[in-house]
Amino acid sequence: MDLGLRGRTYLVTGASSGVGLATTELLLAEGANVAACARDGRRLTEVVGRLAGADRAATFAADVLDTTAVQDFVTSAADRFGGIDGVVNNAGRSLLASWTETTDEQWRAELELKLFGVLRPVRAALPWLSKSDSAAVVNVNAVLARQPEPRLAATSAARAALLNLSNTLAVELAGSGTRVNSVCLGLVDTGQWRRRYEAADTDHGFTEWAAELASDRGIALGRLGNQDEVAYPIVCLLSPRASYITGAAIDVDGGVARYV
Ligand SMILES: NC(=O)c1ccc[n+]([C@@H]2O[C@H](COP(=O)([O-])OP(=O)(O)OC[C@H]3O[C@@H](n4cnc5c(N)ncnc54)[C@H](OP(=O)(O)O)[C@@H]3O)[C@@H](O)[C@H]2O)c1
């Protein structure tokens, strides 16, 4: 099936690794243009430059927490490609800390990243999104938004706030023709989990360690997901084929969520 993405332009934040990189790769493979950002511009340019279709990608060193940098990223992307059809708000990380361990500063940083890291790119892209005949925003979220974990106190609360904000945006932006959806991840094998494995005091190889993790967390499919398994639903939600889907949150979690 043709997803209808050829010639369209998408912004992807946090595109140098994991889910963001896989989404960039898939969008390029579908014939779209991609404007990608991450804080480390050198790493971003290097990894995106290796993808098939890299001549349709533009890379920008930008921190989603920096309003000016985000505005420059979005304006440069629109100038380069002549418009913007969608935004994938993916940049982020989680804070492994219980409620008692989390400082006020860390609470603020989590909320800043999860809320303003989404608000700013959407706000900056809105003038172009409203001119697209099929505009879409996808917010990369986590099942933590609805199933908080004690060891991820601030991240869980910030994820819940982002899910709530996504529904507000879906309603408010519907009038200007922009759909807003979320993908809620469980445990996906990306840079994040590789870093946690390296920090863990274990004699196991990554595969064995990840299998134990999947069992401990009760993942129904018995394994961590991979980044391509997240990129496909993101790209499907961006596609004009998903024209009647807005305000939805799709769990991509191998069955770890226990809520109904
Ligand atoms: N992997 C999982 O199990 C999982 C689960 C739930 C939710 N998520 C969420 O999914 C998203 C992608 O995660 P991932 O696992 O693919 O992580 P990853 O492999 O660590 O990649 C994170 C990407 O975001 C960029 N980034 C981080 N902070 C940024 C900022 N302030 N401004 C711009 N770019 C920034 C990083 O590049 P720089 O460091 O160069 O900026 C990198 O490109 C994140 O929002 C994460 O919280 C992941």
Side-chain angles (χ1 to χ4, degrees):
M1 181 175 71
D2 178 7
L3 290 176
L5 299 167
R6 190 163 299 278
R8 295 187 180 275
T9 298
Y10 297 95
L11 309 181
V12 180
T13 69
S16 61
S17 167
V19 171
L21 181 58
T23 302
T24 299
E25 182 172 21
L26 187 54
L27 284 168
L28 292 173
E30 290 294 318
N33 308 312
V34 179
C37 88
R39 291 167 300 181
D40 182 342
R42 189 182 297 185
R43 175 171 75 139
L44 176 70
T45 303
E46 197 180 306
V47 295
V48 171
R50 284 194 224 117
L51 301 177
D55 55 315
R56 282 178 281 103
T59 55
F60 301 86
D63 185 332
V64 291
L65 299 180
D66 179 338
T67 310
T68 309
V70 169
Q71 187 63 59
D72 288 349
F73 161 51
V74 174
T75 307
S76 311
D79 286 350
R80 159 92 190 259
F81 296 115
I84 296 170
D85 297 287
V87 183
V88 180
N89 288 303
N90 165 75
R93 47 142 175 71
S94 55
L95 174 68
L96 205 51
S98 67
W99 180 79
T100 43
E101 292 161 345
T102 309
T103 63
D104 283 4
E105 203 173 297
Q106 287 173 317
W107 272 99
R108 285 194 197 95
E110 275 300 276
L111 287 165
E112 176 87 5
L113 179 60
K114 268 56 178 203
L115 293 181
F116 289 93
V118 170
L119 281 172
R120 288 183 185 129
V122 174
R123 204 182 264 150
L126 208 48
W128 288 281
L129 292 175
S130 55
K131 287 187 195 131
S132 168
D133 63 353
S134 179
V137 172
V138 175
N139 294 330
V140 178
N141 205 326
V143 294
L144 295 173
R146 290 184 282 199
Q147 183 168 290
E149 275 206 32
R151 65 197 127 182
L152 288 157
T155 295
S156 298
R159 287 298 187 194
L162 172 59
L163 189 58
N164 190 292
L165 167 68
S166 299
N167 282 10
T168 298
L169 288 177
V171 173
E172 285 210 17
L173 302 189
S176 63
T178 301
R179 297 179 296 103
V180 182
N181 293 294
S182 306
V183 289
C184 295
L185 312 192
L187 284 72
V188 180
D189 175 8
T190 61
Q192 246 184 69
W193 284 103
R194 295 285 165 164
R195 286 192 295 277
R196 281 190 197 161
Y197 165 69
E198 275 152 29
D201 188 17
T202 175
D203 297 332
H204 293 330
F206 179 80
T207 309
E208 220 178 337
W209 179 82
E212 260 179 36
L213 181 66
S215 164
D216 285 354
R217 298 290 175 93
I219 301 177
L221 292 183
R223 62 173 177 85
L224 270 57
N226 68 59
Q227 56 203 45
D228 294 333
E229 291 174 307
V230 183
Y232 278 103
I234 292 174
V235 169
C236 287
L237 287 169
L238 290 174
S239 162
R241 302 281 184 186
S243 53
Y244 202 53
I245 305 179
T246 197
I250 297 181
D251 291 344
V252 186
D253 71 335
V256 80
R258 290 289 177 266
Y259 42 79
V260 287

